[in-house]
Amino acid sequence: MAGSPASTTTARRRPKHDPKESEREILEAAEQLLRERPFREVTVEAVMSRTGLKRPAFYVHFRDRHELALRVVEHIGHELFAMTDRWLRGDDPHNDARAAFEGLASVYLRHGPVIRALADASGADAKVELAYRALVQQFIDATARHIREEQARGRIGELADVDETARALIWLDERYLSEALGRTPQADPQVVVEVLHSIWTSTLYGASAPR
């Protein structure tokens, strides 16, 4: 009996929302808004109005809306990297590249408008630009490393410049995927995959590209 009041008090003081669940809810609300509005209109008030949380809960997880945007970039970036790993870590250039582009297309089908909104915001917001360009640079660096690995295996020949080739291919992907799958109506994802697969294999593997 003596322990009952303490137990009741503990239960009464337990937070209504689990911290991880609250963070997830805020991130999802931010993504929803970025599908509908430019980043400059995504305010803390607008985000929190889409959740079941009070405004102070926002600052438990994020300093400001810029950090929120950074976390959205990181979240989607993890998904994108999981897909590109199919080529980066694979040993079958033709099929692994196709699988990677199919994976990238699936991520853009889900998040394309959000990625496009963040890319557009990077042109006018220094903090968002820093985060977004850092994400793209990670893909450029990983691609350049893998090109050199493929050259060492004898699968890719001499290129004018490995780093610049990687930069050109990644920025081409970023713009094309954003245009094709970041707008409504979206392009046919299978066509998008075929176009990118053809560009990459012909650029890197040339006439020796496996079929």
Side-chain angles (χ1 to χ4, degrees), residues 109-153:
L109 283 170
R110 295 193 302 275
H111 303 294
V114 177
I115 300 172
R116 182 179 177 82
L118 291 168
D120 291 345
S122 70
D125 189 290
K127 291 183 179 179
V128 177
E129 178 183 21
L130 186 64
Y132 190 79
R133 294 186 70 87
L135 173 65
V136 174
Q137 189 61 47
Q138 290 179 56
F139 285 98
I140 293 171
D141 293 342
T143 298
R145 283 194 299 271
H146 192 58
I147 289 174
R148 291 189 171 93
E149 291 168 356
E150 290 287 83
Q151 286 179 321
R153 297 185 183 108

Side-chain angles (χ1 to χ4, degrees), residues 10 17 29 37 65 78 88 91 93 121 124 146 148 170 175 177:
T10 301
H17 292 273
R37 308 180 188 180
R65 69 193 190 103
H78 288 316
L88 295 171
D91 196 45
H146 192 58
R148 291 189 171 93
I170 292 300
R175 281 293 84 191
L177 285 166

Side-chain angles (χ1 to χ4, degrees), residues 9-109:
T9 301
T10 301
R12 190 178 297 124
R13 290 178 180 174
R14 185 176 297 139
K16 181 179 179 181
H17 292 273
D18 176 82
K20 290 184 179 179
E21 180 63 21
S22 298
E23 183 180 22
R24 183 195 62 78
E25 190 174 345
I26 294 169
L27 286 169
E28 287 185 354
E31 281 206 35
Q32 290 173 7
L33 278 170
L34 285 167
R35 291 175 185 275
E36 304 166 8
R37 308 180 188 180
F39 177 71
R40 64 179 178 275
E41 295 180 11
V42 178
T43 63
V44 174
E45 290 84 358
V47 171
M48 298 311 289
S49 70
R50 300 259 179 134
T51 73
L53 306 168
K54 301 295 185 181
R55 181 187 172 96
F58 178 91
Y59 297 101
V60 172
H61 305 285
F62 312 100
R63 288 192 301 272
D64 51 31
R65 69 193 190 103
H66 299 284
E67 184 175 357
L68 175 61
L70 172 60
R71 294 291 292 281
V72 173
V73 169
E74 289 178 346
H75 173 70
I76 297 176
H78 288 316
E79 289 192 46
L80 292 170
F81 260 110
M83 300 307 171
T84 57
D85 267 357
R86 297 173 181 182
W87 178 64
L88 295 171
R89 298 181 183 277
D91 196 45
D92 181 345
H94 176 67
N95 291 318
D96 293 335
R98 185 180 299 280
F101 288 123
E102 289 173 346
L104 288 174
S106 71
V107 174
Y108 268 81
L109 283 170

